[in-house]
Amino acid sequence: MADNILFTADPVELLDTLREFSFLQPYNLAVFSEREGLVAFRGEKNRMCGAFGENWLCLDGCDKNYKQEIDRAVSERKARIFNCSSGLLNFVLPFQDRDQHIHYLLAGGIRDQATDLEHLETIIRDRQINGIYFLEQWEQLPSTTRLAVKDVIDNIYGVLPLIGDNNYYARVYERTVDLINTISDLGPEIDRAETVDDVIQLLSETLTVLFNIPRIAILYPQGNKRQLILKGLLGLDNGAAIRLGAKSSGVLMQRKGERSLVLRGKQLKSLFPYLDAEHLSCLPLLVDNKLIGFLALFDHELSQRDLMIIELLCSRIAGKLLRLRRRRNREQESQRSRQLLDMVSRLAQLENSQHFHQGLVEMATDLLDAGKGSLMLLDDRREKLAIVASIGMNRQLARNMKLLKGQGIAGRVVITGSPMLVHDIEQDQRVSIDKRPRFATQSFLCLPFRSENEIIGVLNLSDKNNGSAFTVADLKTVEPLLEHAGSLVRRAGTLERASLLEELSSCDSLTGLHNRRFLDQRLDEELNRSSRQKLEFSVLLLDIDHFKNYNDHCGHLAGDKALKKLSHLLRRSAREMDSVTRFGGEEFCILLPETGREPARMVAERIRHGIEREPFYQEEVLPGGRLTISIGISCYPADGDSAEALLEAADRALYQAKDNGRNRIQLFEPTLRQQRIVFI
């Protein structure tokens, strides 16, 4: 081929074809364009130098030297061999693409065998670098001579006719057919994939094997703003996904109709400033013009043929991802329906308003994965809204927050009866207020809460845990829960009133303690539980000493006050799990779950001693000058396996304590069963 005639070739195809020849294997190759700069690269960057590499051997002035040699090669329309300042051999070979735009092939990364030690020592001294490390790195580079480089150039010119003849195009056609057949054969395997991860794994493996692409990612659109999320598949951090800014996302979203988008240099850095990349091929994943995402291929220049073949793969992958997404949505919808039924069932089992309201807020926040939520109800006059249940809010603040009907967002929703979905509180013209500091995101939901077609309050939800905005789908998801909850409001109130009546029927009117009816029920429950779990429990039967004398001297009103005070002391001394009841008259009973004989004795002694020290009105009229109690103790299962047996045992122990002088405790002993009760 004449030196003054530029040959014509596709830059990327030329680079890939030349790379197959063994005589070019030691070299690092790159193609530059006068219009676009670096077009394609094959080799190790840290072994390149000058304008297209990052070799640590490069000196000041390398770029200038390269520019001069490239300009001369283009001007003379022939290849040039030259040394860089560090002694590396390079050559530049100009050519043109099919549109007659000038390109040049650069090759380098080879040390010149003619470079002497004195030159290397000068470099080491001038650059003030570690000489031993420098020489080690130098020796690792492949070496050649200028004559050998000239032979390489002659070989390139020798194979260039093959690139232009029918044999070359036949090979290209054969390679293209092979790639298309491979992609086609992958179709059934893609269709069999069960999960998105399976599809992504297959995509990554295919691109790596067929096209040797080092770094791959997928960009997913998310939210109403259609911001993109980058998720690394290969060669990138597979940890947390990276959210692109609105501007970067907009650049790509506006060009989603293009078959492929190629970005380089500053334009690429402006979109992905956190990635060390110089080249990006971005292909949209579209199904019926519906964007599923973008396939991002970094640091590998692709020929137009390869891009077209990858487009075929993208089309198949996009279709599968869309089908998997629809299947997942159907499964999620089915799961939400089951979840909703479960929530409604659990709400129906809550028997008081406080638990009902709190349960509703907890279920709504769970349903939409919200970090904060509150339920506000109108007061009896239907003038003010107050928070009755909340999540993620300070309880004291929640209790004190009240809104007039029509005031604020919640007040407006009560009046209009329409839900309000806000994506951005600062941009929404209906609200248009600054972001509230106590909220993490700018999106929220406010829905009217109805019972029997009457608005009784609002449900507020904010701060999605993943940081995204609430959607219309979220609104449609939570509305059925509110509708069902509204139908259960009256039932919860009815149950609460019934529970209150039941509680009143199980309480002693004078002391406020539970009564004998409640004690019988609790004893049966504790017997069943302790029997199943093989636990102990104890029964304390208490009686006020000389209480008839106290009533006779001080009057029944003073006696009632003494009973109330004693009840308060017993309740204060008991654990939360214990049951304190008025057994009858001046007798009391305390049930101690999971408590054996010795711990029960210690509890009883503490109670006895505490009452002995407590002052009572005119107690000096009693023998000993103080109001005291006696306590009998029985323990399950040692002293009985039924309520009647345990109460009888405690009663015998109590009378033994009385018989022994009062103001004392007595554990039941089997011998007490044979003794006659002589105390009256």
Side-chain angles (χ1 to χ4, degrees):
M1 181 176 290
D3 284 346
N4 60 350
I5 299 177
L6 292 181
F7 67 91
T8 302
D10 177 89
V12 179
E13 289 182 357
L14 171 67
L15 202 58
D16 286 339
T17 302
L18 291 177
R19 197 64 179 163
E20 296 176 3
F21 292 98
S22 59
F23 61 83
L24 278 170
Q25 286 300 315
Y27 290 84
N28 293 286
L29 305 176
V31 172
F32 274 75
S33 162
E34 287 190 334
R35 296 188 312 153
E36 301 177 14
L38 179 64
V39 174
F41 177 88
R42 301 291 184 270
E44 300 177 30
K45 256 189 176 180
N46 59 2
R47 281 185 49 214
M48 305 291 284
C49 63
F52 63 103
E54 299 173 349
N55 199 319
W56 64 278
L57 294 169
C58 290
L59 302 173
D60 294 339
C62 276
D63 289 350
K64 182 178 180 181
N65 184 32
Y66 264 76
K67 184 69 169 60
Q68 290 175 349
E69 295 294 339
I70 291 170
D71 289 344
R72 289 182 64 181
V74 173
S75 175
E76 296 173 4
R77 305 173 79 83
K78 67 178 183 180
R80 287 192 59 81
I81 302 171
F82 61 96
N83 285 84
C84 73
S85 303
S86 295
L88 299 180
L89 272 172
N90 308 273
F91 68 85
V92 55
L93 192 152
F95 68 99
Q96 62 186 13
D97 62 18
R98 293 185 178 90
D99 295 326
Q100 296 186 338
H101 296 136
I102 302 298
H103 291 70
Y104 41 91
L105 172 70
L106 282 166
I110 309 294
R111 62 186 172 91
D112 190 348
Q113 292 180 1
T115 303
D116 56 27
L117 185 60
E118 183 179 349
H119 178 72
L120 296 179
E121 289 175 346
T122 301
I123 294 174
I124 293 170
R125 184 176 58 255
D126 292 345
R127 296 184 62 185
Q128 296 182 346
I129 57 178
N130 186 312
I132 296 176
Y133 177 75
F134 178 91
L135 292 174
E136 287 177 350
Q137 296 298 311
W138 177 265
E139 288 294 332
Q140 290 178 13
L141 295 173
S143 64
T144 190
T145 64
R146 292 183 73 88
L147 183 60
V149 175
K150 186 178 183 306
D151 290 340
V152 168
I153 294 173
D154 290 341
N155 287 336
I156 292 175
Y157 278 119
V159 300
L160 286 178
L162 297 176
I163 297 177
D165 69 8
N166 291 332
N167 290 331
Y168 169 75
Y169 288 107
R171 291 201 311 274
V172 171
Y173 174 77
E174 183 179 349
R175 166 70 172 161
T176 303
V177 170
D178 287 343
L179 287 172
I180 292 175
N181 286 338
T182 302
I183 297 300
S184 179
D185 291 342
L186 282 172
E189 195 167 348
I190 293 172
D191 291 338
R192 285 193 297 270
E194 289 294 323
T195 67
V196 171
D197 288 342
D198 292 340
V199 176
I200 296 305
Q201 177 64 31
L202 187 57
L203 173 64
S204 300
E205 185 177 353
T206 302
L207 293 173
T208 304
V209 172
L210 296 184
F211 304 102
N212 197 31
I213 299 173
R215 296 204 287 177
I216 305 169
I218 283 188
L219 298 162
Y220 296 100
Q222 188 178 72
N224 289 337
K225 292 185 178 181
R226 308 294 279 176
Q227 282 191 287
L228 295 171
I229 305 294
L230 182 145
K231 181 68 175 177
L233 307 182
L234 179 70
L236 293 164
D237 182 12
N238 284 304
I242 301 172
R243 184 187 298 273
L244 273 68
K247 182 178 179 182
S248 298
S249 297
V251 170
L252 295 177
M253 296 293 287
Q254 289 171 8
R255 301 179 66 174
K256 67 178 182 181
E258 299 182 19
R259 294 175 61 183
S260 62
L261 174 63
V262 177
L263 301 174
R264 301 183 182 90
K266 292 182 180 179
Q267 190 178 19
L268 176 58
K269 281 292 183 186
S270 66
L271 291 182
F272 301 95
Y274 39 80
L275 291 179
D276 181 19
E278 295 186 359
H279 182 275
L280 167 66
S281 296
C282 198
L283 296 89
L285 301 171
L286 293 168
V287 180
D288 297 332
N289 207 35
K290 180 179 178 63
L291 182 69
I292 306 300
F294 291 93
L295 176 64
L297 310 174
F298 292 94
D299 296 332
H300 191 84
E301 192 81 32
L302 293 160
S303 65
Q304 287 302 313
R305 176 202 65 189
D306 290 347
L307 282 172
M308 290 175 63
I309 292 172
I310 294 175
E311 284 179 36
L312 296 176
L313 179 62
C314 286
S315 177
R316 198 69 180 257
I317 291 291
K320 181 62 179 180
L321 290 176
L322 181 60
R323 291 194 296 276
L324 287 173
R325 178 184 293 179
R326 286 172 175 169
R327 186 179 77 179
R328 183 189 62 192
N329 289 341
R330 289 195 299 272
E331 291 173 350
Q332 288 179 343
E333 185 175 346
S334 177
Q335 182 181 357
R336 278 197 297 267
S337 297
R338 292 193 298 270
Q339 187 179 9
L340 181 61
L341 286 173
D342 176 65
M343 288 179 173
V344 172
S345 175
R346 284 189 284 133
L347 274 177
Q349 295 174 30
L350 299 176
E351 297 185 352
N352 67 64
S353 297
Q354 182 180 356
H355 291 167
F356 180 86
H357 297 151
Q358 188 64 32
L360 175 58
V361 176
E362 290 175 0
M363 292 172 189
T365 53
D366 283 345
L367 202 59
L368 300 190
D369 194 29
K372 291 186 175 70
S374 64
L375 179 66
M376 306 182 78
L377 296 183
L378 287 166
D379 60 13
D380 293 337
R381 293 185 177 183
R382 299 186 57 79
E383 294 177 352
K384 291 182 180 181
L385 281 166
I387 295 177
V388 295
S390 65
I391 283 180
M393 296 180 64
N394 179 276
R395 291 184 180 274
Q396 187 63 37
L397 178 64
R399 280 196 295 267
N400 292 331
M401 282 188 63
K402 288 181 172 56
L403 290 175
L404 289 172
K405 192 174 179 180
Q407 181 184 7
I409 297 168
R412 287 164 58 184
V413 168
V414 167
I415 290 180
T416 63
S418 299
M420 184 173 289
L421 167 62
V422 174
H423 300 301
D424 189 332
I425 197 170
E426 295 182 0
Q427 302 298 325
D428 196 311
Q429 294 183 353
R430 298 171 300 170
V431 185
S432 190
I433 60 176
D434 290 339
K435 179 182 175 183
R436 296 164 294 179
R438 69 175 183 275
F439 293 93
T441 69
Q442 296 168 269
S443 177
F444 66 87
L445 263 176
C446 183
L447 302 94
F449 183 36
R450 292 180 171 87
S451 177
E452 298 180 343
N453 294 322
E454 181 182 12
I455 295 177
I456 60 173
V458 294
L459 175 70
N460 303 300
L461 298 169
S462 64
D463 292 359
K464 271 203 164 187
N465 289 322
N466 62 7
S468 63
F470 289 98
T471 64
V472 174
D474 292 327
L475 178 63
K476 299 299 182 185
T477 297
V478 79
E479 280 182 329
L481 176 64
L482 270 186
E483 183 179 344
H484 287 291
S487 66
L488 294 172
V489 167
R490 174 170 288 186
R491 179 181 181 277
T494 302
L495 289 174
E496 186 174 29
R497 287 189 292 275
S499 176
L500 179 60
L501 289 173
E502 183 178 353
E503 183 178 350
L504 290 173
S505 68
S506 65
C507 286
D508 175 63
S509 58
L510 175 64
T511 63
L513 295 178
H514 291 296
N515 58 20
R516 177 65 184 269
R517 176 187 172 190
F518 177 83
L519 174 64
D520 292 341
Q521 180 181 338
R522 279 291 295 120
L523 272 172
D524 288 340
E525 292 172 354
E526 197 57 40
L527 280 165
N528 290 330
R529 188 178 78 93
S530 299
S531 176
R532 288 195 312 271
Q533 301 182 21
K534 295 185 172 25
L535 300 172
E536 293 182 304
F537 72 87
S538 295
V539 175
L540 273 58
L541 205 57
L542 305 85
D543 186 86
I544 303 176
D545 297 327
H546 303 297
F547 191 67
K548 184 177 182 302
N549 293 345
Y550 186 81
N551 271 337
D552 290 344
H553 282 87
C554 302
H556 287 286
L557 287 179
D560 287 348
K561 288 182 180 180
L563 288 172
K564 289 181 181 180
K565 183 172 183 178
L566 183 66
S567 300
H568 173 72
L569 293 172
L570 293 178
R571 189 186 292 115
R572 191 176 66 183
S573 300
R575 301 170 299 181
E576 186 176 349
M577 63 192 294
D578 300 335
S579 298
V580 182
T581 60
R582 186 180 182 188
F583 197 69
E586 65 269 26
E587 282 189 312
F588 299 85
C589 185
I590 302 178
L591 179 61
L592 305 177
E594 300 180 29
T595 307
R597 287 170 64 86
E598 186 56 28
R601 186 191 66 78
M602 295 174 64
V603 171
E605 179 58 32
R606 175 166 51 81
I607 293 173
R608 185 204 64 78
H609 183 65
I611 291 173
E612 182 183 30
R613 294 176 56 191
E614 190 72 21
F616 283 84
Y617 174 72
Q618 291 188 2
E619 61 181 350
E620 61 275 6
V621 302
L622 294 173
R626 302 195 69 80
L627 188 144
T628 61
I629 60 171
S630 299
I631 304 176
I633 304 171
S634 63
C635 182
Y636 171 86
D639 302 331
D641 57 3
S642 67
E644 294 79 4
L646 289 169
L647 288 173
E648 182 186 356
D651 194 44
R652 287 183 174 272
L654 171 61
Y655 277 100
Q656 184 64 40
K658 294 279 191 181
D659 198 40
N660 289 340
R662 296 181 175 85
N663 191 21
R664 65 188 63 239
I665 63 173
Q666 175 68 52
L667 289 163
F668 175 77
E669 300 294 344
T671 56
L672 295 179
R673 293 194 190 278
Q674 284 75 44
Q675 294 182 11
R676 291 182 60 192
I677 299 176
V678 296
F679 177 80
I680 298 177

